[in-house]
Amino acid sequence: MAELSTPALRHVIKELYPETVLYSEMLSAGAIAAGAPHNEPLVTLREFDNPLIFQLVGANPSVMADACAILSETKCYGVDINMGCPNHDIVKKGQGAMLLTDIKKARSIVRSCRKATLKPLSVKMRSGYEGNDESSFIDFIVMLEAEGVDFITLHPRFAKLGFRRTADWRLVALAKRHLSIPVIGNGDITTPEAAIIKIDETGCDGVMIGREAVTSPWIFRLIADCMSGRSSSLELDVRDIFLKTLGYMHKYLPERLHRSRSHRFCAYYTRNVRYGHDLFTKIRRESAIGPVMGIVEEYYDRNPEEAIRHYFIEGGCISNETPCLDPAFC
Ligand SMILES: Cc1cc2nc3c(=O)[nH]c(=O)nc-3n(C[C@H](O)[C@H](O)[C@H](O)COP(=O)(O)O)c2cc1C
């Protein structure tokens, strides 16, 4: 996720649940192909980035292929093509979700990227641009499979919706029925119970978690524990995870990125505390990571009871101090 999938967040997620598959921030194919040095911190792989998929955004097939070849030379697991970003600056260049409106262009991009890499090639997509036209959607995903894409990740909202309404997971089930390659479902998963229900209902091969992974980087561990069916408990030091992520940001990212990346992360992570809005308002006044960490420490010094959180997992559900958030499941 742009400005969120930093090496800092990735490191923390891997410490919490080592099996997680990671994605990079969205990378401009033009900048990668041109060797733009400002991208270096975003494409540097660390020991915890395993497996990591680089995500590319672009609309020019040969530039996309060049970028794909460059990234494939690294130790990344695979390369993903963004066909879902609805951001105005992206779609006006014909990139991201706009590719869903031009199946020929999308085919040409996939074909050239397919030739450029032997590594897994995937597509992350919305279910449409202006609406959910099922037959165009099916034509599109069948084309992706025929061109040799190894799997798709579907966020089943059409692009013009942004994040309005709820993701229509029936389209994930529809994709599953028309494809042989794996389909990963994505959208609105905020609890382990929801992840398990979606996998069960749609038959999808996995789930991708976006926003909740920033607020609760431990969600992957909770999902795995719930799916295992075993009883377990998890004690989390949410204060320590907060400070650790900021510390890793300081360590891994150049100073010019500290403000944007720390603010983006804090916008989500401060949802974990009672006075999160006030805390984030204070954080936003700072540009450097040191003072942000100072504000966080001060908050928890005043509210020590918020630092530790317990989860109890029993029979596939989270119970006790953290009640099951999805009554439909229990
Ligand atoms: C701030 C932000 C940045 C995002 N950046 C990307 C991106 O770079 N590439 C991408 O494929 N999706 C991106 N997404 C979309 C997420 O990957 C995901 O599809 C969407 O948030 C729905 O999943 P969720 O409900 O689990 O968050 C972004 C979402 C947000 C909120």
Side-chain angles (χ1 to χ4, degrees):
M1 289 193 291
E3 300 198 339
L4 284 168
S5 307
T6 59
L9 182 66
R10 302 198 303 258
H11 195 171
V12 162
I13 286 175
K14 285 301 238 187
E15 284 178 347
L16 288 159
Y17 186 61
E19 316 298 318
T20 317
V21 178
L22 301 168
Y23 278 71
S24 69
E25 292 191 43
M26 181 171 79
L27 304 166
S28 152
I32 300 289
H38 70 269
N39 266 306
E40 212 204 300
L42 305 182
V43 297
T44 303
L45 290 183
R46 321 240 168 209
E47 72 288 352
F48 51 80
D49 281 320
N50 181 22
L52 175 129
I53 296 173
F54 279 122
Q55 188 186 64
L56 278 175
V57 65
N60 179 315
S62 78
V63 174
M64 286 290 277
D66 287 348
C68 192
I70 291 168
L71 293 177
S72 295
E73 279 168 23
T74 70
K75 287 188 172 157
C76 73
Y77 172 78
V79 178
D80 184 74
I81 303 173
N82 184 310
M83 297 196 187
C85 181
N87 181 287
H88 177 70
D89 292 333
I90 298 290
V91 294
K92 78 177 181 208
K93 292 186 272 188
Q95 306 176 352
M98 192 54 95
L99 290 170
L100 300 171
T101 66
D102 189 344
I103 193 168
K104 279 193 195 140
K105 169 76 76 67
R107 178 185 289 118
S108 161
I109 289 173
V110 171
R111 197 169 281 179
S112 54
C113 287
R114 185 64 290 172
K115 284 190 197 134
T117 184
L118 293 171
K119 291 195 172 183
L121 179 69
S122 56
V123 169
K124 161 92 190 309
M125 60 185 293
R126 294 278 189 136
S127 44
Y129 187 73
E130 294 208 72
N132 286 333
D133 179 81
E134 285 191 10
S135 91
S136 317
F137 169 66
I138 293 164
D139 289 348
F140 198 93
I141 58 174
V142 167
M143 174 280 286
L144 295 177
E145 177 167 284
E147 292 298 330
V149 161
D150 292 291
F151 67 94
I152 65 163
T153 305
L154 176 62
H155 175 197
R157 275 186 177 97
F158 59 87
K160 286 264 174 161
L161 274 182
F163 283 91
R164 292 189 305 281
R165 301 193 201 155
T166 49
D168 183 358
W169 280 74
R170 285 174 311 169
L171 295 167
V172 175
L174 183 71
K176 253 325 267 179
R177 289 201 293 279
H178 284 85
L179 298 180
S180 314
I181 52 172
V183 175
I184 309 299
N186 163 245
D188 302 342
I189 291 185
T190 54
T191 63
E193 291 89 345
I196 294 169
I197 289 172
K198 297 299 183 208
I199 292 170
D200 204 41
E201 283 178 357
T202 65
C204 69
D205 301 277
V207 290
M208 171 188 272
I209 300 184
R211 292 163 294 174
E212 193 61 32
V214 192
T215 310
S216 316
W218 47 85
I219 189 163
F220 303 100
R221 163 75 193 272
L222 291 180
I223 293 173
D225 282 0
C226 282
M227 288 184 91
S228 77
R230 285 192 304 271
S231 298
S232 58
S233 65
L234 184 62
E235 183 183 282
L236 286 171
D237 187 334
V238 291
R239 171 189 184 274
D240 182 59
I241 293 169
F242 203 156
L243 292 169
K244 198 188 259 188
T245 311
L246 291 167
Y248 284 158
M249 258 178 214
H250 190 265
K251 180 174 169 191
Y252 297 135
L253 295 175
E255 208 176 320
R256 67 184 163 81
L257 298 180
H258 286 179
R259 185 173 192 280
S260 62
R261 298 323 193 251
S262 64
H263 287 194
R264 273 274 195 199
F265 166 69
C266 291
Y268 285 88
Y269 199 85
T270 50
R271 291 175 193 177
N272 285 304
V273 299
R274 199 178 311 136
Y275 305 107
H277 182 74
D278 293 348
L279 177 59
F280 185 53
T281 304
K282 278 190 192 152
I283 286 172
R284 280 178 68 185
R285 294 189 198 120
E286 303 295 340
S287 298
I289 289 187
V292 171
M293 289 174 82
I295 291 170
V296 171
E297 278 171 344
E298 201 183 289
Y299 179 90
Y300 283 105
D301 287 346
R302 272 186 285 112
N303 303 281
E305 72 288 355
E306 293 193 51
I308 304 291
R309 191 178 292 184
H310 292 98
Y311 290 95
F312 295 96
I313 295 128
E314 219 179 333
C317 262
I318 298 186
S319 62
N320 289 4
E321 278 169 56
T322 310
C324 175
L325 298 172
D326 203 330
F329 188 76
C330 295

